[in-house]
Every structure is written in structure tokens, then in C-alpha cells.
Amino acid sequence: MKVLVINAGSSSLKYQLMETDTKELLAKGLCERIGIDGSIKHSASGKDDYKADITMPDHSAAIGTVLKMLVHPKYGVIKDTSEINAVGHRVVHGAEFFASSVLIDDAVMNALKECIPLAPLHNPANITGINACKAVMGDVPQVAVFDTAFHQTLPPKAFIYALPYKYYTEDKIRRYGFHGTSHRYVSQRAAVLMGRPIEELKLVTCHLGNGSSVSAIKYGKSVETSMGFTPLDGLPMGTRSGSVDSGILEYIMNLEHIDIHQMLNILNKQSGVLGISGISSDFRDLDEAAAKGNARAQLAIDVFCYKVTKRIGSASAAMGGIDGVIFTAGVGENSIDLREKILEGLEFMGLYLDKEKNKVRCKETIISTDDSPVKIMVIPTNEELVIAMDTAEIVKGLKK
Ligand code: AMP
């Protein structure tokens, strides 16, 4: 089955066309500056890459451009858009409505709209992407795959904040967690790599990228995760602070005479490793600066690694043990030094890193010593594949 995977942002749209029978990626690309002017980058297996400025007044125009690229005689991979059997959408927030992926119908669209206050930046863009596909592709079945769904198995003791309870019952304020598609994928791959059923494994998944979260996956189900009501909770990230003492907010707001929007801008855009280092949100820049002796770049790396180390400990405690730890996403898959630093001192928990095996990037492999009681793994994430496979499964189910 050919599935078009769509990840729609407010002015961007990422896409992949996948053949789910073979798990083959046929084409992928990115539309940017939608509604401003417009540009597209497109690549397809066995074809030259394509890049152009193309006016895209809205997301429907962007989808139209994507379809034209997919059937393009020189750069395309299909003869006719009717070969696309289904569309899978990444949707950020499904609240408590959705614990798994779902075929999109009117009731689902209404629920997605109800989720907008919980993800005001992301869900409207996702909805726009769905509407654009409907407008351009008509009755092709569409499926929503949620970032939050995998964490719906968190027990109440893990998702309830210690606030007046009415904020949960009346206002839906609770820990939701994000990166769920990634945590789900890498935990399932880890079980395959370990040659054991996921139903007997306690796994800690570390999704470390520009945004970062650590989850505890017990017997295949998420039971703890570091992101919360919003993706601002938990670990320090590229530009996000992660958890801070909430008393700091009022203190800074009074000090700088700023309102809550400006405060949140500081927490979301000016904090994290960028805030500490004053240099960059990109760990490659920090590594380079630290190697040249920049103390604040080193401090940013130290703070980040220390917090990830602590999270591995607390995720293990949440499950009463640990069989495997997985590193994924940009930093987790690529940074040999950061993995080593994060795991330093965790031998007491049975985590023994093989420093030679750790010299690996973006490859699915075990990097612990052969006799390490806990397996340490690098597993490149593939959220688009999960979206395509979920979509194919749901759409095949419709035909039965
Ligand atoms: P992601 O959000 O998963 O795309 O991850 C992006 C982040 O991965 C970048 O901002 C970098 O900080 C980080 N990254 C990518 N490659 C490397 C590398 N070779 N070493 C350290 N960090 C890296």
C-alpha cells in the first residue's frame, strides 16, 4: 500500500511517500514558507533532487505541489495520484480522546478541534493539513497518528500534577507526554534487537534531539515520561528550559517587567543549552566550543547530560528495574561523547558501555559490553514509518 505521510506545521509541510508492504521510502520533501511565498525541496529514490521557489498561498496549494512532484515525469515516483491509497497525518495532541491512531471522520475532526487549547501552536496546523488533503485528494482515507497517544497508558500517579484536582477534571490539566510515536517505535525495535518479547522488558527510551524526553516503557506500555502538559516539561532542550521551579517565573517577570507571554518566550526559545551556553542550541556547536575551552558550552553539556542521567535513574525506579536503555533522535543517535557522559557512573545499575561499540552513529546496534546486565542500544527513530504502518493497518481493516 502507498501511504503519503504528512507532518503539517503552521507554514511548513513535511511529506514522505512510503510503500508499506516493503517499508520502502519512495519520496520525501519539505514545503516551506507556505502563505508567505513558498519553496519546495523534494527527493525520490533513483531521481535527482529538486529544489524550487513555488508560490503556495495555503496548505491546499502545498499539497497540490507535493502531488505534482510525486507524479512528475522526471522527479516523481508514481504515474497517477490515484496510486496513493491513504494519507497518514502526524497530529501533536490527542488529549484523552485518543490512545491509538484513528481513521479521520467528522467526529475525530471535532475532537481534534477540542484539543486546540491544549496545543494552540500545533493542532491548528495539523487540522489545516488534514483539510487541505481532503480538499485536494477527496475521499482518500486519512488517518491521524498522535504524539500523545502512546503515553495514554501512564497510571494516574504518573500523570496527575499536585494541583487542585479540579484542574484535571474540569480543565484537562495533566501530564500527556510527547514524542510517543518515537518512544513506541524504538522500544519495539529494542525488543527485536534483544531477541526478547517486549511484554517482559523494562526499557528506558531516551529521545534526545532538539526536543528531548525520556520514557519508562514497562512490558510495552509507557508508564512514565518526562514531558508533561506541554513539551516544555522535563529535560533541558535546545532552547527550552525543561522543568524549573515555577516560583522563578514571577521573580523574573517582576525583575524584567514582562508579561507571561514574554516569560514563556524566554522559557521556550531562549533557555535550554542555548540559554546556558549563550552560543547555540545545536550540540555540534557546543561540542566544538567546549573543545576550544569555552566553559559555558561545557556547562550546558554537563547540565544536559546530568539531567538525562537522573531521568534514566528515575524512569528505572518507576518500573522497579531496567533491562535496556535506548538512545534515539539527533543527539542520541549521533553523539558518541554525550552518550558516554550520560552513562558515566551508571554501572551500579548494571549499565556497562562498550566504548569501542559506542563509536557509532545512526545505526541500530547494541553498544553495551557483552556481559552488561542491562543492554544499551542506539536505535534511529522512524516516526514516519510508524505513521505509514498504522495508516496501512487501519485502512486495510476497513476493507475487511
Ligand atoms: P532532532 O531534533 O532529532 O532532529 O535532533 C537535532 C539535533 O541533533 C541538532 O540540534 C543537534 O544538536 C543534534 N545533533 C545532530 N548531529 C549531531 C552530532 N553529530 N553530534 C551531536 N549532536 C548532533
Side-chain angles (χ1 to χ4, degrees):
M1 181 177 284
K2 286 187 180 60
V3 175
L4 180 62
V5 175
I6 297 289
N7 183 352
S10 56
S11 67
S12 70
L13 189 144
K14 277 191 214 151
Y15 63 94
Q16 289 198 0
L17 184 66
M18 313 233 3
E19 173 51 69
T20 54
D21 296 339
T22 55
K23 298 187 178 173
E24 192 189 350
L25 172 63
L26 303 175
K28 66 174 181 175
L30 169 67
C31 301
E32 285 181 295
R33 298 176 61 81
I34 301 167
I36 305 164
D37 37 32
S39 70
I40 185 165
K41 281 185 211 150
H42 171 89
S43 59
S45 49
K47 305 283 165 80
D48 290 339
D49 288 353
Y50 179 84
K51 211 172 149 182
D53 293 333
I54 299 174
T55 310
M56 299 177 201
D58 55 27
H59 283 69
S60 295
I63 295 286
T65 308
V66 170
L67 295 180
K68 269 188 204 147
M69 289 313 305
L70 293 174
V71 298
H72 194 283
K74 189 166 172 206
Y75 303 104
V77 282
I78 50 176
K79 289 209 161 56
D80 194 277
T81 54
S82 62
E83 289 175 49
I84 300 171
N85 304 102
V87 183
H89 292 268
R90 177 193 180 215
V91 179
V92 169
H93 219 304
E96 290 186 343
F97 294 117
F98 302 108
S100 59
S101 305
V102 65
L103 183 75
I104 299 171
D105 59 14
D106 289 346
V108 169
M109 287 307 278
N110 287 336
L112 293 185
K113 283 176 198 151
E114 269 199 59
C115 296
I116 288 177
L118 299 175
L121 295 180
H122 294 104
N123 270 40
N126 301 150
I127 291 170
T128 305
I130 295 167
N131 285 332
C133 285
K134 266 193 205 161
V136 179
M137 302 178 75
D139 289 339
V140 176
Q142 302 196 56
V143 168
V145 180
F146 301 91
D147 262 23
T148 49
F150 185 55
H151 300 302
Q152 279 297 298
T153 47
L154 256 62
K157 65 182 177 185
F159 73 67
I160 290 291
Y161 286 111
L163 294 168
Y165 194 63
K166 72 172 181 117
Y167 290 119
Y168 169 57
T169 51
E170 292 173 23
D171 301 307
K172 302 187 172 81
I173 295 175
R174 51 159 287 176
R175 179 180 304 282
Y176 288 104
F178 298 86
H179 295 143
T181 314
S182 176
H183 289 291
R184 179 177 143 209
Y185 175 75
V186 299
S187 57
Q188 287 170 352
R189 289 302 311 161
V192 174
L193 206 57
M194 293 169 77
R196 291 177 61 188
I198 197 162
E199 292 76 16
E200 63 181 46
L201 291 173
K202 294 171 180 173
L203 301 169
V204 175
T205 47
C206 306
H207 179 111
L208 311 177
N210 197 24
S212 293
S213 62
V214 169
S215 294
I217 316 297
K218 188 178 183 183
Y219 310 146
K221 294 196 162 78
S222 177
V223 293
E224 180 57 270
T225 191
S226 60
M227 281 181 168
F229 178 64
T230 73
L232 185 55
D233 203 359
L235 296 167
M237 312 183 202
T239 62
R240 291 184 210 138
S241 62
S243 312
V244 293
D245 177 350
S246 41
I248 295 171
L249 274 64
E250 188 196 19
Y251 194 81
I252 293 182
M253 286 163 71
N254 287 339
L255 208 64
E256 305 219 324
H257 307 293
I258 56 175
D259 63 19
I260 190 66
H261 298 291
Q262 291 164 301
M263 187 65 238
L264 280 170
N265 184 278
I266 293 173
L267 294 175
N268 274 305
K269 303 267 169 69
Q270 303 172 40
S271 297
V273 292
L274 169 69
I276 299 173
S277 69
I279 293 176
S280 172
S281 61
D282 192 307
F283 283 86
R284 287 164 290 200
D285 299 336
L286 299 179
D287 279 345
E288 206 181 306
K292 288 183 188 148
N294 185 301
R296 270 174 58 192
Q298 187 59 56
L299 180 63
I301 293 170
D302 290 349
V303 169
F304 177 78
C305 291
Y306 174 64
K307 303 255 174 164
V308 178
T309 307
K310 287 205 304 177
R311 284 280 171 184
I312 294 173
S314 63
S316 309
M319 295 186 286
I322 176 171
D323 299 302
V325 57
I326 299 119
F327 288 92
T328 194
V331 180
E333 291 166 26
N334 287 291
S335 183
I336 297 162
D337 293 346
L338 262 71
R339 287 195 299 257
E340 189 176 327
K341 203 170 182 58
I342 289 165
L343 293 163
E344 237 169 50
L346 289 185
E347 292 81 6
F348 81 95
M349 283 171 54
L351 279 78
Y352 291 86
L353 180 71
D354 183 320
K355 290 188 181 172
E356 276 309 306
K357 287 187 193 161
N358 185 38
K359 288 180 183 158
V360 69
R361 290 184 209 277
C362 291
K363 188 175 165 234
E364 190 174 288
T365 186
I366 295 176
I367 56 169
S368 44
T369 59
D370 291 341
D371 56 358
S372 177
V374 179
K375 298 284 170 257
I376 307 166
M377 290 157 273
V378 173
I379 300 184
T381 194
N382 195 341
E383 291 160 280
E384 291 79 9
L385 179 62
V386 178
I387 295 170
M389 298 308 286
D390 274 12
T391 302
E393 199 183 315
I394 288 173
V395 172
K396 275 179 190 159
L398 290 177
K399 290 180 184 155
K400 280 184 188 150

